[in-house]
Amino acid sequence: MPERASVPEEHRWRLEDIFADQDAWERAFRELEEVITRLQAFQGKLGASGAVLLDFMQQSEQAGQKADALYAYAHMRLDEDTAHPGHQAMQARALNLMVRLDSALSYATPEILAIPPDRLEAFLRETRGLDLYRHALDEIQRKRPHTLSEPEEHLLAMAGEVGHAPGQIFQMINEADIRFPTVKDEDGRELEITHARYGRLLESRDRRVRRETFQGLYASYRKLLNTLAATLTGQIRRNIFFARARKFGSALEAALFPDNVPVDLYTNLLEAVHEGLPTLHRYIGLRKRALRLDEHHMYDVYATIVPEVRVRIPYPEAVELAAEALAPLGEEYVRVLRHGLHSRWVDVYENRGKRSGAYSSGVYGVHPYVLLNYQDTLDNLFTLVHEMGHAMHTYFSDRTQPYVYSQYTIFVAEVASTVNEALLAHHLLQRWNDRARKLYVLNHQLDNFRTTLFRQAMFAEFERKIHAEAEGGQPPTAERLSEVYGDLNATYYGPDMVSDDEIRIEWSRIPHFYMNFYVYKYATGFSAAQALTRRILEEGRPAVDDYLAFLSGGSSDYPLVLLRRAGVDMASPEPVRQAIRSFGELVEQMERLLQV
């Protein structure tokens, strides 16, 4: 494993574009401390005049931008070498300063809501420059029916820390306390099952390894099942409590409110996915035949059904393939992409102490950054275009929007990355004539559909059902949670899948169930991306222009509005249906190539 200093400079991101050195970071840190003091002086004055409100909005915006830059620099320095004590301290200081900033601004929303609507509208009309913040101020006003009196808000704020307890308890059980047994791998080596190893072991070509890994992992969760049911029950009750306190009709309605998403969208998603389940069942049947199994068990679901493919793609070749694959997005997109890839936006290779995995991180006023741990594989090529999708979304939003509207919401966060992956798959399927490589790409895409659209929809349906039952007075016991989850799993995977008894308790290990109706966003974002990709490939320039406008939208409007302008109406079930049709086309291609 190379040391950080031995990695060539051209393969390391250039954080000097944010701050020239540590001294510059320290100066910015002290400047933000002074800004926080000035922002506290606005307390009690926001309703005095439009000029005062404008001054506050501008100064708080500048403070947020500076805080983001301080934190981004600190956490990326730490990610270069996670054992570096100085960088650990920097990140801790940056986090602490962001908390202080949030605390200093906590008075703002209640004070703005206290301004009578007609007076606020007069401020917007009469104060030059304030209209820029109209959408942000409208968003605060939208919260009015769900905002309580000042003492009640204070009480809810105090209860917020208690509300985090179920998720924190689950995290400690899941990451620190639970212990899994060992399993012998294909070569007879004794390995302890871990979260990191679990997925790799389930991909083993040795079915014994897959089965024993699956059974061993769930045996550990079963020992803690009642405790884990209690933690999930606590999370459900927490969601219901805050929803009712804020006068929402349900926990689901409260969770969708921040993105201005109607409950009908959630319902449409699940109904459309149910319509498409026969296509998923067809895929499971294909897997069963391709793997030559008498019974397809849940521990077989990650086993590859295609011959092993060894395609070496060095990073320079990956850069060229990415540019070729994304050419349908137009000359400007590819020009910016190439500029970023050749201007040290990307930290390319692994080094000792570097954070694992991959991500994209934006810095407003500078440019986005991407962390990779690139290996010369096809999977890593997909990771590159995925993360550059996030980076390009950030680039266009930051270039077009003021800071206050630059950060796109989680609802659309995976759209651009998924569009890039779909375009890459399309390009490779056209470029490669080799059967084995085509099968590999098809397998990659089909598993993306299965895990991101169908599986996340199943999670979303589970969340909706257990919350609805709890709101109706039925306690979510371990037995009931397992019954609901087991029934859904059998429905989704169909008659060619054996719903092993272990899978009934899969709910007990899913951290996303502590994130309050988060998982549906994966399925909707994935569906939107498939619709956008199809439109780009079929319609060309008009669709590309609409797509680039979407990438440039940031949070200047609500996510459903931005997607609608790009040509995708996620309030309708049609994009989900279209995604499932695309899934079916890929299944047909694989059936023809496998001939099983």
Side-chain angles (χ1 to χ4, degrees):
M1 184 71 66
E3 297 295 336
R4 178 73 183 176
S6 68
V7 177
E9 185 180 77
E10 65 267 23
H11 295 144
R12 288 182 276 159
W13 51 24
R14 193 169 57 213
L15 299 187
E16 294 81 3
D17 292 348
I18 313 174
F19 294 107
D21 51 31
Q22 177 80 22
D23 288 342
W25 187 89
E26 293 289 353
R27 285 195 298 274
F29 189 96
R30 291 192 294 271
E31 289 168 4
L32 183 54
E33 288 183 309
E34 294 172 3
V35 172
I36 289 174
T37 300
R38 292 201 300 270
L39 285 170
Q40 289 172 319
F42 283 94
Q43 187 167 1
K45 302 173 183 176
L46 297 186
S49 70
V52 171
L53 183 58
L54 174 61
D55 191 15
F56 168 79
M57 297 296 287
Q58 290 174 333
Q59 289 201 41
S60 60
E61 184 179 12
Q62 292 164 9
Q65 183 178 342
K66 192 177 291 289
D68 285 352
L70 284 164
Y71 178 74
Y73 183 88
H75 93 74
M76 286 190 281
R77 278 291 183 222
L78 179 59
D79 290 346
E80 294 174 349
D81 181 0
T82 56
H84 194 294
H87 296 161
Q88 291 173 0
M90 279 179 69
Q91 177 172 276
R93 290 173 61 202
L95 276 171
N96 178 264
L97 192 62
M98 292 181 82
V99 170
R100 286 164 57 191
L101 176 61
D102 288 343
S103 177
L105 294 173
S106 62
Y107 64 85
T109 294
E111 278 199 31
I112 291 170
L113 283 174
I115 302 172
D118 55 345
R119 181 174 175 81
L120 183 61
E121 183 59 37
F123 285 175
L124 286 161
R125 265 195 329 268
E126 298 164 5
T127 309
R128 185 170 183 173
L130 187 59
D131 196 61
L132 170 68
Y133 301 98
R134 178 177 289 275
H135 179 63
L137 292 168
D138 284 348
E139 176 61 6
I140 292 174
Q141 295 298 317
R142 193 172 69 89
K143 298 174 183 175
R144 184 181 294 276
H146 306 290
T147 302
L148 310 181
S149 68
E150 187 174 338
E152 289 171 325
E153 284 291 336
H154 181 66
L155 191 62
L156 282 186
M158 292 194 333
E161 189 172 354
V162 178
H164 290 301
Q168 291 169 341
I169 295 167
F170 171 79
Q171 184 177 16
M172 293 307 297
I173 293 171
N174 200 45
E175 296 182 8
D177 294 342
I178 197 167
R179 290 291 179 269
F180 304 114
T182 60
V183 63
K184 287 186 178 179
D185 69 6
E186 300 94 328
D187 301 318
R189 294 175 300 179
E190 198 82 18
L191 291 178
E192 181 182 356
I193 300 169
T194 65
H195 291 297
R197 287 178 181 154
Y198 179 67
R200 180 173 62 81
L201 289 168
L202 280 193
E203 293 172 357
S204 171
R205 292 188 176 276
D206 187 331
R207 201 175 189 210
R208 174 197 58 79
V209 175
R210 302 199 300 266
R211 182 180 63 252
E212 291 180 4
T213 299
F214 179 81
Q215 292 172 344
L217 179 108
Y218 283 106
S220 297
Y221 282 101
R222 193 176 295 280
K223 293 174 184 176
L224 298 167
L225 202 60
N226 290 318
T227 299
L228 291 167
T231 59
L232 185 53
T233 298
Q235 178 68 26
I236 294 166
R237 288 173 175 161
R238 175 255 182 217
N239 296 341
I240 294 170
F241 167 76
F242 282 103
R244 288 176 174 170
R246 293 203 173 278
K247 305 173 185 177
F248 287 100
S250 67
L252 175 59
E253 181 188 341
L256 302 185
F257 180 81
D259 285 321
N260 202 20
V261 169
V263 173
D264 284 350
L265 181 145
Y266 203 96
T267 304
N268 289 341
L269 165 68
L270 298 183
E271 289 178 352
V273 168
H274 270 266
E275 292 172 11
L277 287 181
T279 310
L280 177 60
H281 299 167
R282 180 178 175 182
Y283 176 54
I284 298 300
L286 172 61
R287 289 184 52 82
K288 181 179 178 182
R289 297 192 303 276
L291 290 168
R292 298 180 180 178
L293 300 174
D294 292 333
E295 292 183 335
H296 192 305
H297 286 258
M298 290 303 300
Y299 50 77
D300 297 315
V301 79
Y302 292 99
T304 181
I305 62 174
V306 301
E308 187 172 2
V309 178
R310 295 188 182 276
V311 184
R312 184 173 179 272
I313 305 177
Y315 184 71
E317 183 181 342
V319 168
E320 290 305 310
L321 279 170
E324 292 171 10
L326 301 177
L329 296 178
E331 292 181 6
E332 182 187 18
Y333 188 99
V334 174
R335 177 182 57 78
V336 175
L337 176 86
R338 285 187 178 276
H339 171 75
L341 291 171
H342 292 290
S343 300
R344 296 179 57 196
W345 290 10
V346 184
D347 205 78
V348 181
Y349 295 114
E350 191 175 15
N351 61 254
R352 188 178 302 279
K354 182 178 175 181
R355 173 177 166 163
S356 62
Y359 67 74
S360 173
S361 182
V363 183
Y364 188 84
V366 184
H367 57 72
Y369 288 88
V370 168
L371 179 137
L372 299 175
N373 284 275
Y374 191 83
Q375 306 291 322
D376 297 346
T377 67
L378 187 55
D379 277 345
N380 277 238
L381 169 60
F382 274 98
T383 300
L384 170 64
V385 299
H386 180 101
E387 297 304 336
M388 286 306 296
H390 290 305
M392 296 296 286
H393 195 170
T394 298
Y395 170 84
F396 282 103
S397 286
D398 285 0
R399 187 187 71 172
T400 309
Q401 299 297 331
Y403 173 78
V404 67
Y405 302 130
S406 62
Q407 297 180 15
Y408 47 86
T409 71
I410 296 297
F411 186 89
V412 297
E414 293 300 327
V415 171
S417 56
T418 306
V419 166
N420 278 15
E421 283 202 60
L423 288 172
L424 175 61
H426 175 80
H427 176 71
L428 295 179
L429 288 171
Q430 287 194 320
R431 175 190 174 109
W432 287 345
N433 294 318
D434 179 78
R435 174 178 174 273
R437 292 187 181 191
K438 282 183 176 289
L439 283 170
Y440 187 94
V441 174
L442 286 169
N443 188 73
H444 181 278
Q445 287 301 93
L446 286 167
D447 273 351
N448 275 351
F449 273 91
R450 181 184 60 79
T451 57
T452 312
L453 177 54
F454 291 103
R455 178 172 162 82
Q456 300 301 327
M458 184 181 78
F459 285 174
E461 188 165 358
F462 174 74
E463 278 193 282
R464 184 181 68 170
K465 189 169 184 62
I466 61 178
H467 278 79
E469 289 186 356
E471 285 167 334
Q474 182 172 347
T477 63
E479 182 179 356
R480 179 57 185 161
L481 292 168
S482 300
E483 181 183 3
V484 171
Y485 195 91
D487 289 347
L488 284 172
N489 192 82
T491 298
Y492 272 72
Y493 282 95
D496 282 318
M497 177 70 78
V498 176
S499 286
D500 303 275
D501 187 59
E502 288 87 353
I503 206 65
R504 289 165 47 82
I505 66 169
E506 187 178 32
W507 59 266
S508 66
R509 72 177 193 89
I510 306 299
H512 288 81
F513 292 154
Y514 295 84
M515 298 172 70
N516 196 15
F517 293 98
Y518 179 89
V519 291
Y520 86 97
K521 298 177 185 181
Y522 288 117
T524 52
F526 187 87
S527 299
Q530 299 304 317
L532 288 166
T533 303
R534 183 179 287 265
R535 185 169 180 240
I536 288 164
L537 291 172
E538 291 178 353
E539 300 179 27
R541 189 74 251 172
V544 170
D545 289 343
D546 289 344
Y547 179 64
L548 294 182
F550 161 74
L551 294 185
S552 303
S555 58
S556 60
D557 213 325
Y558 296 113
L560 291 184
V561 176
L562 294 172
L563 284 170
R564 194 177 301 119
R565 291 173 188 161
V568 181
D569 183 8
M570 288 308 300
S572 158
E574 186 53 34
V576 182
R577 291 171 178 154
Q578 187 180 84
I580 292 169
R581 288 195 292 271
S582 297
F583 176 66
E585 292 166 5
L586 294 173
V587 173
E588 289 176 6
Q589 289 184 56
M590 180 166 271
E591 285 174 334
R592 288 195 298 269
L593 287 172
L594 285 174
Q595 296 181 339
V596 293

